[in-house]
Amino acid sequence: MTDFLDPVLTFIAENPSLAGLICFLAAMGEALFIIGLFVPTTVVLVGAGTLVGLGKLDPVPLFIWTTLGATAGDAISYWIGWRFKDKIKTMWPLNKYAHLVEAGEQFFQKHGGKSVFIGRFVPGVKSVVPGIAGMAGMNFTRFSVVNVTSAFAWTIVHIAPGIIAGSALGAIGQISGRLALVLGALLFVVFLIVMLGRWLILIVLPLFPNTHAAIVRGFARREDRVSQWIARNFDPAHPRSTGMLASALLLLITMPLFFWIVGEVAPGEPMVRADLAILNLFDSLRTPVGDKIMVFMTSLGDGVVVTAVTVAVAAYLFGRKAWRRGTGFIIAMAGTALFVPLFKLMLHRSRPIELYAGADAYSFPSGHATLTAVLFGICAVLIAHDLNRWAKASIFTIAASFVITIGFSRVYLGAHWMSDVLAGLLFGTAMVSAFAFVFGPIHNEKIGRATVAGIVVATLAVFGGWHISSTFDKALLTYEPRSNTEVLTASGWRQSGWQSLPARRIELNGDREEPLVIQYSGSLEHFAHTAEKAGWQLPPKWSLTTAGGFVEGKTPSDSLPILPRSQNGRQPDLVLIRKDTDEAGGRWVLRLWPSRYEILEGGSLQALYLGSVVHEDILRPMGEFSGPRTDVHVPDPADNPALLLPGAQTRQRADGIKVVLATGPEAQVQTGGADKLNRTGR
């Protein structure tokens, strides 16, 4: 994967002025009046800072460009406010965000001229404060001084975290590039969730300002008790109506999704194949350092830690005489703790590895993901109660990140399938939504938000620390990578065993793709050398030059790098191409993937590889691009290079697809990845 990023990083490193221009436009865009709501500046600047930390960009020009962009954006917003004054409030689409303009006016009235500096760091008002300053007639010279100094500080705040993250990932990458990839992917997912939530709150919801009130009025006109209750509790004037509405919608979404996943984990469904492919992918990314980090996180979700936090929070709620919330909390946790093992026993889905006995021996849903989602989700509801939306967003982001990381650790360590964790998170979210819906409107039970947060953190630190210190070494052994290799005798494989191997390539989403027409046991070096005699060669490696061939209309087929394809989560160990002499611009592509099988022959074990041979037609739309498109998924026997190997045999499946069985000349003791020759062009 890092090899695919290298061309991008190289391009940025070789074109620093372009990177500076992008940062300039992003910083300016976020500062523009209202438009800044739509510009993902944080993503761009943190990403640029990460490249600085990785040594791909010079920080000084990047800092200058970003500061200039932020300064220019505020200056333009100031001019818009000075030019149009109060007309702004009636102009489309600005009139859809009148509440932000009003918030900016209140902010400016409260803080005066220094609001230009402070407002740049306050979500929700930073895109309107400069315009409000212009509307209020703030002196331009004074505004410019504050503008430049605030842009300077703002740039540091946005780029510095990326530099730190890039430096950390670079250091981790020196230990293990795979670990850096896993951590980077996890951070990206969490960051994406936060950004989508931000856009939903600031951009999408204001576009439908009257929908909420119209629905409530419709219920109010009905005389039955249910409609009247809905009208009272979901009235926009009700201080907690928005939260209740959000909880109800989340509940209506998550529960159907949970039961949809239940139906998708039946044997033979695509999600089952996707689970196996994802498990294999994570297995290939595991490292000793990554194992320690993930064991640490998964231990924080163990039953003893969850129980300790539950008891501590419940004791505090009852101690403060918050009887209804305390009772609801206990019901939610106890109900979830009862639901998980009962559902495991009902579904009887096996785990990827053997871990526990009894109901916990089964996999669906993940108890770690479900219970931590309910526990820390309800704690987040209690802590965020009656706070402003940005405080709520921050609290729920922290809780969600913690729970998602624990769920991620279960898949990484092979303790659960991905669908187990997704189902657990969905059910847990539904329980939290139900709790927030029922107990959110309660206002006469006073609890200390900071106290609840302190109890949760302290209990995690004390009991979690004690639990990890006493069980960490044992947990590392429990979750250590396990080989699932299956050995076949050479004679048994040739006679009937070949039929038990996968017939088609399985994508990460579980879809079955092109047939696997080669089963080869032996040295990849020997296979490549034999195929070379028939015109098969290594594909070009990915680089800035070869990647540029896709945008040129006359690039020969043998000069284009190969697009990645995985088989059951594994990357190919050998990729070869052969130019098609019968068709202008086409090529044949062979891929060999490692399997979990080994062949026993002559007292030695040989790794068994599964392969496909497909034909790619090179499309050239408008004569300006070169794009490979697979047009033949099953080759004629003459086009299968495995037949070139001495002793190769052809077998035919029930669907008519012919499979070539071949072996190398020597018997070597090999494991699944021991014979990799780095022949994928990466």
Side-chain angles (χ1 to χ4, degrees):
M1 180 67 72
T2 53
D3 296 296
F4 293 113
L5 294 177
D6 282 342
V8 179
L9 298 179
T10 302
F11 177 77
I12 294 176
E14 293 176 352
N15 299 271
S17 59
L18 181 59
L21 178 60
I22 293 173
C23 290
F24 172 87
L25 294 174
M28 182 179 69
E30 188 178 43
L32 292 177
F33 199 70
I34 298 297
I35 296 175
L37 295 174
F38 301 85
V39 181
T41 306
T42 305
V43 178
V44 175
L45 296 185
V46 173
T50 302
L51 292 176
V52 171
L54 291 171
K56 301 297 182 179
L57 289 178
D58 186 352
V60 176
L62 192 71
F63 180 84
I64 294 174
W65 276 105
T66 305
T67 303
L68 291 175
T71 303
D74 267 18
I76 294 173
S77 296
Y78 173 89
W79 177 84
I80 292 174
W82 175 84
R83 172 67 177 80
F84 295 100
K85 301 296 182 183
D86 289 336
K87 294 180 181 179
I88 289 177
K89 298 179 181 179
T90 60
M91 297 170 59
W92 188 92
L94 304 182
N95 56 356
K96 296 292 185 181
Y97 302 93
H99 65 289
L100 287 179
V101 178
E102 294 174 0
E105 289 178 328
Q106 295 174 3
F107 191 83
F108 189 83
Q109 291 173 1
K110 180 178 179 180
H111 298 286
K114 62 179 180 292
S115 62
V116 176
F117 189 101
I118 301 173
R120 197 185 285 273
F121 301 90
V122 179
V125 299
K126 60 184 177 181
S127 62
V128 297
V129 167
I132 300 300
M135 293 169 60
M138 181 179 177
N139 180 271
F140 180 73
T141 302
R142 183 187 177 195
F143 169 82
S144 299
V145 172
V146 179
N147 182 19
V148 173
T149 54
S150 64
F152 186 89
W154 179 85
T155 301
I156 294 176
V157 169
H158 277 70
I159 293 182
I163 295 176
I164 296 173
S167 301
L169 288 176
I172 294 173
Q174 296 299 318
I175 301 173
S176 170
R178 292 179 297 170
L179 175 60
L181 175 62
V182 171
L183 293 179
L186 178 59
L187 290 174
F188 175 77
V189 171
V190 173
F191 194 73
L192 184 63
I193 292 173
V194 174
M195 292 304 299
L196 290 176
R198 173 183 180 271
W199 285 343
L200 176 64
I201 293 172
L202 288 179
I203 299 172
V204 178
L205 294 181
L207 295 177
F208 307 96
N210 299 319
T211 304
H212 185 180
I215 294 175
V216 169
R217 286 195 299 270
F219 280 103
R221 286 193 290 267
R222 302 172 65 91
E223 297 181 357
D224 59 279
R225 292 184 177 181
V226 175
S227 298
Q228 290 298 314
W229 180 86
I230 293 175
R232 285 195 308 271
N233 288 279
F234 289 98
D235 190 332
H238 193 292
R240 296 175 182 85
S241 64
T242 302
M244 291 182 66
L245 181 61
S247 300
L249 289 176
L250 200 57
L251 180 62
L252 293 174
I253 292 172
T254 51
M255 283 307 294
L257 284 176
F258 170 80
F259 286 106
W260 174 78
I261 291 182
V262 172
E264 291 297 310
V265 296
E269 292 293 335
M271 186 170 288
V272 176
R273 298 192 295 270
D275 279 337
L276 181 59
I278 293 171
L279 186 73
N280 290 332
L281 173 64
F282 279 109
D283 185 64
S284 68
L285 295 173
R286 291 187 63 167
T287 65
V289 176
D291 289 354
K292 292 180 180 179
I293 295 174
M294 292 303 160
V295 167
F296 177 89
M297 291 305 304
T298 209
S299 297
L300 292 178
D302 285 350
V304 62
V305 180
V306 170
T307 301
V309 177
T310 301
V311 171
V313 173
Y316 171 75
L317 292 176
F318 288 123
R320 289 300 301 267
K321 298 182 180 180
W323 305 114
R324 285 178 289 180
R325 285 178 178 157
T327 302
F329 176 67
I330 291 296
I331 291 175
M333 291 302 301
T336 304
L338 182 63
F339 168 82
V340 170
L342 287 178
F343 211 88
K344 287 176 183 286
L345 289 172
M346 183 178 68
L347 212 61
H348 269 226
R349 190 187 193 194
S350 300
R351 288 179 181 269
I353 58 176
E354 294 184 6
L355 284 178
Y356 311 113
D360 287 334
Y362 300 112
S363 181
F364 190 96
S366 166
H368 277 66
T370 310
L371 286 166
T372 54
V374 176
L375 172 60
F376 296 106
I378 292 179
C379 289
V381 170
L382 296 173
I383 296 169
H385 187 66
D386 282 343
L387 293 179
N388 64 67
R389 61 181 180 180
W390 289 109
K392 288 181 179 179
S394 300
I395 293 168
F396 282 114
T397 297
I398 294 172
S401 300
F402 183 70
V403 172
I404 290 172
T405 304
I406 291 177
F408 180 87
S409 71
R410 303 303 287 170
V411 181
Y412 175 92
L413 295 171
H416 276 288
W417 308 104
M418 176 64 80
S419 56
D420 301 338
V421 173
L422 290 177
L425 294 176
L426 286 170
F427 184 85
T429 303
M431 291 294 290
V432 174
S433 301
F435 179 90
F437 181 83
V438 176
F439 299 99
I442 297 175
H443 61 277
N444 58 352
E445 293 182 346
K446 302 299 181 182
I447 60 175
R449 290 186 290 265
T451 305
V452 174
I455 290 173
V456 172
V457 173
T459 308
L460 271 179
V462 173
F463 282 88
W466 165 77
H467 176 63
I468 291 173
S469 63
S470 59
T471 63
F472 189 75
D473 292 337
K474 181 180 178 181
L476 278 177
L477 292 175
T478 300
Y479 294 112
E480 67 179 353
R482 304 181 186 184
S483 173
N484 62 344
T485 302
E486 184 174 338
V487 177
L488 301 174
T489 63
S491 59
W493 166 55
R494 293 189 181 95
Q495 290 176 5
S496 60
W498 65 274
Q499 299 182 67
S500 64
L501 274 65
R504 289 180 175 271
R505 182 175 68 87
I506 298 176
E507 271 285 9
L508 280 177
N509 61 4
D511 289 345
R512 290 190 176 98
E513 301 294 342
E514 71 271 16
L516 298 172
V517 295
I518 297 176
Q519 296 183 15
Y520 171 70
S521 173
S523 165
L524 295 180
E525 182 74 45
H526 173 72
F527 190 105
H529 179 71
T530 303
E532 186 179 3
K533 299 176 182 178
W536 292 87
Q537 62 184 11
L538 299 177
K541 293 183 177 181
W542 278 88
S543 67
L544 183 61
T545 302
T546 58
F550 289 106
V551 297
E552 296 180 4
K554 298 181 180 180
T555 306
S557 60
D558 55 353
S559 297
L560 292 172
I562 297 299
L563 300 178
R565 286 188 180 183
S566 64
Q567 148 57 11
N568 219 7
R570 299 181 176 95
Q571 295 300 314
D573 284 355
L574 176 66
V575 177
L576 299 174
I577 62 173
R578 192 191 74 184
K579 192 172 183 179
D580 189 355
T581 56
D582 298 330
E583 181 179 337
R587 65 182 180 183
W588 289 96
V589 181
L590 173 143
R591 296 177 176 89
L592 286 180
W593 291 277
S595 73
R596 65 182 183 90
Y597 297 91
E598 292 182 341
I599 302 300
L600 178 62
E601 186 169 20
S604 298
L605 289 173
Q606 294 182 326
L608 182 63
Y609 299 90
L610 304 176
S612 71
V613 180
V614 299
H615 184 273
E616 292 183 345
D617 180 26
I618 308 301
L619 303 179
R620 308 183 192 277
M622 300 178 292
E624 297 297 331
F625 301 94
S626 297
R629 177 182 64 89
T630 302
D631 57 352
V632 178
H633 293 83
V634 183
D636 292 331
D639 293 314
N640 193 327
L643 287 173
L644 300 172
L645 297 167
Q649 302 175 7
T650 301
R651 301 285 189 271
Q652 183 167 316
R653 294 189 181 275
D655 58 3
I657 302 297
K658 294 182 178 180
V659 181
V660 177
L661 279 58
T663 59
E666 71 281 78
Q668 304 178 31
V669 178
Q670 304 175 25
T671 58
D675 196 36
K676 286 188 179 181
L677 299 179
N678 193 26
R679 293 185 177 273
T680 61
R682 295 179 296 152

